[in-house]
Amino acid sequence: MANDLKTFQPKEYYRKFLEKDVRPDGRELGECRSTVVNIGSITTAEGSALVKLGNTTVICGIKAELANPKADEPKNGYIVPNVELSPMCSAQFRPGAPGEQAQVLSQFVVDVLQNSECVNLQDLCIVSGKLVWMLQCDMICLDYDGNVADACVLSLVSALKNTCLPKVTVNEETQAIETDDKITNNLKVQTTPVSTTFAIFDDHFVIVDPTIEEETLATGIITIVTKEKKLCMVHKPGGTPLKDSQIQLCIDRAIERSGQATKLIDETQCSLDR
Amino acid sequence: MEVDRTSHELRPMTCELGHLSRSDGSATLTQGDTTVITSMYGPGDVRISKEIIDKATVEVTYRPKIGLPKCSDKLKERLIRNTCETVILSGLHPRTGIDIILQEMQNSGSFLSCCINSACLALLDASIPLKYLIAAVTCCISDKGEITLDPDLKQEKKSVAILTFVFDSKDFNVVTVSTSGSFSNEQFQSCLMACREASKHVITFYRESMLKKLSKSV
Amino acid sequence: MRETPLSTCERDFILSVIADRKRIDGRQTYDYRKIKIVFGIDRGCCSVELGKTRVLAQVSCEVTEPKQTRPTDGILFMNVELSPMACPSFESGRLSDEGVELNRLLERCIKESRCLDTESLCIVAGQKVWTIRIDIHVLNQEGNILDCASIAAITALVHFRRPDVTVSGEDVTIHELDDRDPVPLSVHHMPICVSFAFFDQGKFLLVDPENGEEKVMDGKMVIGMNKHREICTLQITGDMLLLKEQVLRCSNIAVVKVQEISELIQTALENDKTARSEGRKYGFAESIEREQITTHHTDITNVDMEDITKTNHETMDEEENQEQENSEENKVTILEKGTGIVGEGGRNSWLMSDDDEDVKIEPSIPNKSKKHKQKEKKEAYSFGDDSEEEETVVLDESDLHMIKKVPGSSDSVDLQSLKPSKSTPGKKKKKR
């Protein structure tokens, strides 16, 4: 009976739950799914992290390459994030060139990195004007169950904290590049940006961390990225208009979530070092 | 080129409606020196793969002036498309397509809000049924914490954060937010309120333009 | 979107008008439509209107490496975009045949006629040269895009200023626009394309065909010429045969037209130059005519900010400190070296030693059965967990070769008896 209602009138089905302040999977409106973080599992990459937000899974791998800096920015390295949504994670994606959703997510992650100044690009400089590090960050979604943006950001930040770059010296006489794999430096990550996505349902319910069914039924979404109590990005691409008080509630919840996520990353990182 | 103005003033706005002969609706909007030309076609036919049975399919194309479109342009298109989808009463035109095309002519600051405002004007020019009007305002926060409305390119470069808000004309609630840079919660709230006040002037501008255009019947 | 096709009666009407040696819009056979040239604030940006056809051109520059075959020459790159704005049938993305033809004609006219001195674009031979890029966007299609685009392209090139460069040995300094005045490009001559439409098997011609005339014409001739009477490009297309007298007559007409258009461009450039030097306003905003019914203008508007500071304080006071409540929620559980978990909300198909998880798995099955193999494996994974909550198995090298590859079956009952490690060989070793 419940399944019939869910198939034919999904909005009604959800409405019945939301009126009682609960969601079909048992969560409260303001509760996030259980988050699991696994750091450093890819040994061939300089840094890696796997994040599971409920069923949504994103794995991030960071490879470091040497490159020439741009002519007008001789001391800046590059961080190139790239999100891949393959047919493996959901039937809605087709193989081939990145679709719109993948491009939008990649741009979102680029913006988060820029706005939060998470890694100082000058830390990636080896020889000013000639040699800099280029970090290729590939985020591959393994399971698309809603709220992939948050999982991508979390995995990227965890992977960056786990990144170790080998020491590189340029021989003055021969101009040859020498890499010393034994001496590694941890990448300095200045802040931990955490993103929280809320879905707006039926013009007045605001639920945090939507699953894929909630995302498709939602009438709008809002994503808030915070770094240690400061806001670094508020992104609401259209959708139902929100009142100021609702936005304020979202911001408060996002700040709480950011504390929770930062603690998770830090403690997991510590357990790895021990 | 920019006239000196204080931090709580909007730059002079000029619009021209219906000047492209092939489009169903077109608008050129200038805010100060920032110029965007928007044209829209619709409701018209749409490819079967993109057809929705109970609504119109809204598609937005944004073209920058220099070079080929990049990832950041795709994000802009997504933002504008979601905003327009909220406004358009797409249920009245099922199985049709509404195409909105924006062309950058000049970027002198507050570019995203100029794009969204010109899109709204183009929709009005084409007489597409809308739920309410939308007005976008950009503001920036300097490193000293001062808020400047409708900044030009120099002010944007010196700022710490740039925020764009889009409000609806009925209750003046927030439809779209897009920010860059970092800021505190209090700064966010004050920017929100300042932009809300400013958006009322933008709505008045729309009304006056349409009144002028429809004042004589052919 | 599809374009409305030209109906047979419209086609017959246009042809009959032309047979009477007249034109629909009342022009003479050799008349051009009204040309309007407007410059933007940026250098190298201009918008040209030829009647109702509208084209925007923008020139930009970049420092790049030169081509291997020509180490001392700069690069000129042209890109014509038929924007979907111009005509409903233009698609964004792949260029149609018409677009490719347009691109090629403009390239021949401007690039191959050597109107721009590419050697002057060299900075350090073999290493650094300027790449000049011209982007042309067609905004409205009402016939004869080619002429409009060529006028826009050459005007933008002459209008453009590139940053000044000083080379001292190996160091190259590119000066900012504020430091030193930018330098114009060295343009030798201004080639402009003139289009002719032919009817009656090449016997009757019209200059500057508009949209309807373009659709019914038999053939087209394009002559690219500069004001020194030099032909830069010539192309004849279509279903007709031309007499040589026709071609010569057209080139004579083209001479006159190019002179007129060149003078117009010069006047426009002069006006823009004086406006900039005198400090008067210029740009697209100024060019919009204010006295029309379809335009509207407001000056600087003041925004009332007094109420804002009051209401802001009120909303801030309402916030309360909720930090104490979250200590339970924020508890991080370290499962293993390098893996941590926080929060308990919602279902999670990973192996957690929580009894509550089993209850939540039930309603999720109908959804999961629709999804592909990988998900089903995970479902089987969690089922298998029922019996083995405590035990965590870590695979060794010796175990790997004993594992049979189990195809992802939808029958979860069989897999229940298997140990979870064997259903996913090798992959999720430490991730429990």
Side-chain angles (χ1 to χ4, degrees):
Chain A
M1 176 47 196
N3 284 338
D4 290 342
L5 188 65
K6 186 164 187 192
T7 321
F8 293 112
Q9 284 187 311
K11 283 209 165 161
E12 267 305 311
Y13 178 77
Y14 260 86
R15 221 168 270 148
K16 288 209 189 299
F17 282 94
L18 291 175
E19 276 157 18
K20 309 265 189 230
D21 272 341
V22 81
R23 284 139 94 170
D25 55 4
R27 287 188 281 162
E28 286 173 35
L29 298 189
E31 201 182 332
C32 295
R33 287 175 285 186
S34 71
T35 319
V36 186
V37 166
N38 173 290
I39 300 185
S41 45
I42 304 177
T43 48
T44 48
E46 267 75 45
S48 65
L50 174 92
V51 165
K52 266 189 91 89
L53 206 65
N55 282 330
T56 302
T57 315
V58 173
I59 181 157
C60 173
I62 300 187
K63 287 293 287 175
E65 289 169 12
L66 295 166
N68 294 330
K70 274 190 241 182
D72 43 353
E73 283 170 359
K75 289 198 190 137
N76 285 1
Y78 307 96
I79 300 185
V80 184
N82 180 37
V83 176
E84 261 185 53
L85 297 172
S86 63
M88 170 169 73
C89 59
S90 165
Q92 60 181 275
F93 302 117
R94 290 262 159 273
E100 199 200 330
Q101 180 68 0
Q103 287 190 25
V104 164
L105 277 172
S106 300
Q107 187 58 37
F108 175 73
V109 176
V110 167
D111 287 342
V112 167
L113 279 177
Q114 248 179 357
N115 291 339
S116 62
E117 285 166 4
C118 171
V119 175
N120 191 351
L121 291 176
Q122 302 194 346
D123 288 342
L124 297 171
C125 178
I126 304 168
V127 177
S128 168
K130 299 221 175 81
L131 205 65
V132 292
W133 280 115
M134 174 161 77
L135 298 180
Q136 296 270 20
C137 315
D138 290 301
M139 280 154 279
I140 301 169
C141 178
L142 300 173
D143 194 345
Y144 195 90
D145 195 24
N147 203 4
V148 177
D150 288 1
C152 284
V153 170
L154 198 62
S155 68
L156 180 63
V157 173
S158 317
L160 281 172
K161 285 198 162 172
N162 175 240
T163 311
C164 288
L165 296 172
K167 191 160 147 73
V168 175
T169 43
V170 179
N171 195 324
E172 288 289 327
E173 299 150 356
T174 59
Q175 290 294 312
I177 301 166
E178 289 157 13
T179 326
D180 196 349
D181 283 327
K182 297 197 195 88
I183 310 170
T184 58
N185 305 319
N186 256 349
L187 184 67
K188 198 170 103 182
V189 177
Q190 291 167 333
T191 59
T192 315
V194 174
S195 98
T196 320
T197 304
F198 303 82
I200 310 163
F201 188 80
D202 231 8
D203 304 347
H204 50 263
F205 290 113
V206 175
I207 46 183
V208 87
D209 191 15
T211 61
I212 189 74
E213 292 120 5
E214 289 162 0
E215 260 187 11
T216 27
L217 295 173
T219 49
I221 58 159
I222 175 169
T223 306
I224 298 177
V225 182
T226 54
K227 56 166 192 183
E228 285 124 28
K229 308 243 166 153
K230 264 192 112 174
L231 296 169
C232 68
M233 190 157 154
V234 177
H235 181 74
K236 182 184 185 302
T240 327
L242 276 183
K243 294 201 255 303
D244 289 2
S245 51
Q246 286 172 311
I247 298 181
Q248 192 52 48
L249 274 171
C250 293
I251 294 176
D252 294 336
R253 186 71 190 89
I255 295 176
E256 279 171 31
R257 168 73 182 161
S258 133
Q260 199 184 48
T262 317
K263 205 163 158 219
L264 172 67
I265 299 174
D266 289 337
E267 292 204 10
T268 317
Q269 183 77 27
C270 285
S271 78
L272 195 62
D273 296 330
R274 265 190 257 121
Chain B
M1 209 17 233
E2 292 286 345
V3 184
D4 277 329
R5 54 189 181 101
T6 52
S7 60
H8 49 269
E9 283 173 345
L10 294 176
R11 292 180 290 181
M13 291 198 275
T14 318
C15 80
E16 189 175 357
L17 300 168
H19 51 287
L20 295 179
S21 61
R22 297 298 291 262
S23 320
D24 293 329
S26 57
T28 302
L29 178 70
T30 65
Q31 284 183 216
D33 280 320
T34 306
T35 313
V36 176
I37 182 168
T38 309
S39 97
M40 62 107 21
Y41 289 93
D45 66 287
V46 70
R47 260 186 281 179
I48 299 180
S49 56
K50 295 199 182 153
E51 202 181 60
I52 306 176
I53 48 167
D54 58 344
K55 287 198 299 190
T57 312
V58 178
E59 268 181 35
V60 171
T61 313
Y62 164 72
R63 287 258 169 279
K65 209 166 40 161
I66 300 173
L68 297 164
K70 304 190 285 274
C71 262
S72 49
D73 301 324
K74 273 268 175 283
L75 190 64
K76 244 190 208 103
E77 283 181 7
R78 168 68 75 90
L79 217 92
I80 300 175
R81 194 184 81 222
N82 283 356
T83 314
C84 291
E85 274 176 346
T86 324
V87 190
I88 298 176
L89 283 165
S90 41
L92 290 179
H93 300 283
R95 298 191 314 279
T96 62
I98 296 179
D99 291 342
I100 303 171
I101 305 112
L102 297 107
Q103 171 71 46
E104 170 195 358
M105 305 248 314
Q106 183 85 42
N107 183 355
S108 298
S110 306
F111 190 64
L112 184 62
S113 49
C114 193
C115 285
I116 294 178
N117 290 342
S118 74
C120 186
L121 274 170
L123 288 168
L124 277 173
D125 187 49
S127 312
I128 298 283
L130 306 171
K131 278 186 211 151
Y132 32 68
L133 298 173
I134 38 168
V137 182
T138 304
C139 70
C140 72
I141 304 176
S142 69
D143 45 4
K144 298 193 196 91
E146 291 163 357
I147 299 173
T148 312
L149 283 177
D150 201 14
D152 57 35
L153 216 55
K154 267 197 202 145
Q155 289 166 328
E156 273 189 355
K157 281 204 175 101
K158 284 190 279 188
S159 66
V160 165
I162 304 172
L163 298 92
T164 306
F165 293 95
V166 182
F167 298 94
D168 68 82
S169 62
K170 216 166 62 168
D171 303 316
F172 288 94
N173 284 335
V174 177
V175 177
T176 303
V177 182
S178 174
T179 67
S180 73
S182 56
F183 41 91
S184 71
N185 202 357
E186 291 81 22
Q187 286 174 324
F188 180 76
Q189 291 298 330
S190 2
C191 286
L192 185 77
M193 283 186 263
C195 289
R196 180 178 278 132
E197 282 304 311
S199 66
K200 295 182 182 155
H201 294 277
V202 179
I203 301 281
T204 321
F205 178 75
Y206 292 162
R207 220 165 252 136
E208 287 169 7
S209 316
M210 290 310 288
L211 269 172
K212 193 170 171 195
K213 181 189 165 201
L214 300 168
S215 60
K216 289 212 188 336
S217 48
V218 179
Chain C
M1 239 181 234
R2 280 185 293 246
E3 201 185 326
T4 331
L6 196 67
S7 62
T8 324
C9 50
E10 271 183 292
R11 177 182 284 268
D12 292 338
F13 178 69
I14 298 174
L15 284 170
S16 67
V17 166
I18 289 169
D20 282 340
R21 302 303 186 242
K22 290 199 196 117
R23 291 176 92 156
I24 304 176
D25 47 7
R27 284 186 281 160
Q28 298 295 319
T29 43
Y30 299 160
D31 279 351
Y32 253 83
R33 290 172 282 181
K34 181 157 168 276
I35 302 178
K36 186 172 160 199
I37 303 176
V38 177
F39 296 99
I41 306 277
D42 289 342
R43 279 282 179 188
C45 179
C46 90
S47 157
V48 175
E49 274 179 70
L50 179 62
K52 295 217 182 108
T53 303
R54 211 167 146 170
V55 170
L56 172 75
Q58 171 72 56
V59 178
S60 54
C61 64
E62 206 187 6
V63 178
T64 51
E65 277 181 16
K67 288 203 183 115
Q68 302 280 1
T69 48
R70 291 203 185 281
T72 51
D73 272 354
I75 304 169
L76 177 63
F77 183 70
M78 290 193 61
N79 179 36
V80 175
E81 275 215 33
L82 294 176
S83 168
M85 191 186 282
C87 177
S89 59
F90 289 164
E91 296 277 335
S92 59
R94 261 188 70 232
L95 211 54
S96 63
D97 287 344
E98 197 187 339
V100 172
E101 190 189 339
L102 211 72
N103 225 326
R104 194 68 200 108
L105 270 169
L106 276 173
E107 264 187 20
R108 273 163 51 187
C109 182
I110 293 181
K111 240 167 97 169
E112 293 172 23
S113 65
R114 303 226 170 274
C115 68
L116 180 67
D117 183 12
T118 42
E119 285 205 9
S120 66
L121 298 174
C122 182
I123 306 171
V124 177
Q127 283 174 30
K128 291 195 171 137
V129 296
W130 285 111
T131 297
I132 303 290
R133 190 196 162 93
I134 311 179
D135 285 291
I136 299 174
H137 303 274
V138 182
L139 301 178
N140 199 33
Q141 212 284 53
E142 277 287 4
N144 207 3
I145 305 176
L146 180 62
D147 289 10
C148 199
S150 76
I151 299 172
I154 199 65
T155 316
L157 265 178
V158 177
H159 188 247
F160 182 65
R161 300 279 179 270
R162 64 165 174 81
D164 200 4
V165 179
T166 35
V167 186
S168 51
E170 278 291 316
D171 289 325
V172 173
T173 344
I174 303 170
H175 296 278
E176 290 292 312
L177 299 165
D178 300 329
D179 288 343
R180 281 214 206 161
D181 279 338
V183 163
L185 298 172
S186 69
V187 181
H188 294 310
H189 59 95
M190 304 209 295
I192 294 168
C193 292
V194 178
S195 297
F196 300 88
F198 286 92
F199 303 88
D200 272 347
Q201 296 300 308
K203 292 199 201 97
F204 185 62
L205 69 89
L206 289 176
V207 174
D208 186 21
E210 54 105 43
N211 201 13
E213 291 161 356
E214 255 186 4
K215 288 205 171 124
V216 304
M217 67 185 175
D218 288 335
K220 190 166 98 160
M221 175 157 78
V222 175
I223 301 182
M225 196 186 274
N226 61 25
K227 67 177 185 201
H228 306 296
R229 304 174 68 115
E230 292 167 333
I231 295 181
C232 307
T233 189
L234 185 78
Q235 175 163 301
I236 302 175
T237 45
D239 182 24
M240 62 180 182
L241 298 167
L242 282 182
L243 296 167
K244 68 169 193 277
E245 287 86 21
Q246 277 283 45
V247 181
L248 287 171
R249 197 195 313 164
C250 289
S251 62
N252 286 330
I253 299 167
V255 167
V256 176
K257 293 297 158 197
V258 168
Q259 291 278 21
E260 288 172 9
I261 297 174
S262 299
E263 275 172 24
L264 203 81
I265 297 176
Q266 284 301 114
T267 326
L269 283 164
E270 286 296 322
N271 286 343
D272 182 66
K273 199 165 137 190
T274 40
R276 275 171 206 260
S277 56
E278 283 172 20
R280 272 186 287 136
K281 291 195 194 165
Y282 53 91
F284 293 123
E286 284 310 304
S287 66
I288 296 179
E289 285 175 38
R290 305 273 172 87
E291 301 306 313
Q292 281 180 351
I293 208 175
T294 47
T295 60
H296 185 59
H297 173 80
T298 49
D299 283 316
I300 293 178
T301 2
N302 229 321
V303 177
D304 190 9
M305 304 264 270
E306 285 172 7
D307 297 331
I308 292 165
T309 36
K310 274 188 267 161
T311 33
N312 198 12
H313 287 310
E314 285 167 19
T315 36
M316 287 300 110
D317 292 335
E318 283 166 22
E319 285 178 20
E320 284 167 50
N321 204 343
Q322 295 174 333
E323 281 176 25
Q324 304 95 317
E325 295 171 23
N326 297 333
S327 54
E328 271 301 312
E329 228 179 74
N330 282 352
K331 187 159 166 289
V332 175
T333 325
I334 301 292
L335 300 171
E336 200 187 63
K337 191 173 171 194
T339 313
I341 178 172
V342 77
E344 291 169 358
R347 59 177 179 264
N348 186 341
S349 55
W350 261 11
L351 322 171
M352 297 302 137
S353 46
D354 259 324
D355 283 332
D356 310 55
E357 290 291 80
D358 302 343
V359 178
K360 287 176 194 145
I361 288 165
E362 263 291 323
S364 68
I365 297 171
N367 299 337
K368 288 192 178 179
S369 57
K370 290 177 209 158
K371 289 172 187 163
H372 54 87
K373 278 187 205 169
Q374 180 128 353
K375 282 281 269 181
E376 286 166 30
K377 275 190 183 172
K378 282 192 197 149
E379 184 194 347
Y381 216 49
S382 46
F383 265 138
D385 198 31
D386 286 347
S387 50
E388 277 153 317
E389 284 175 321
E390 318 292 314
E391 198 183 340
T392 49
V393 180
V394 178
L395 282 176
D396 294 322
E397 302 266 321
S398 52
D399 288 338
L400 281 172
H401 63 266
M402 284 190 345
I403 292 163
K404 291 177 209 165
K405 289 224 168 104
V406 180
S409 63
S410 54
D411 191 358
S412 48
V413 179
D414 284 338
L415 291 170
Q416 199 169 18
S417 51
L418 287 173
K419 282 193 179 177
S421 57
K422 288 190 182 165
S423 61
T424 51
K427 265 197 181 161
K428 296 192 179 175
K429 257 203 202 179
K430 295 176 191 165
K431 295 180 185 138
R432 305 243 186 138

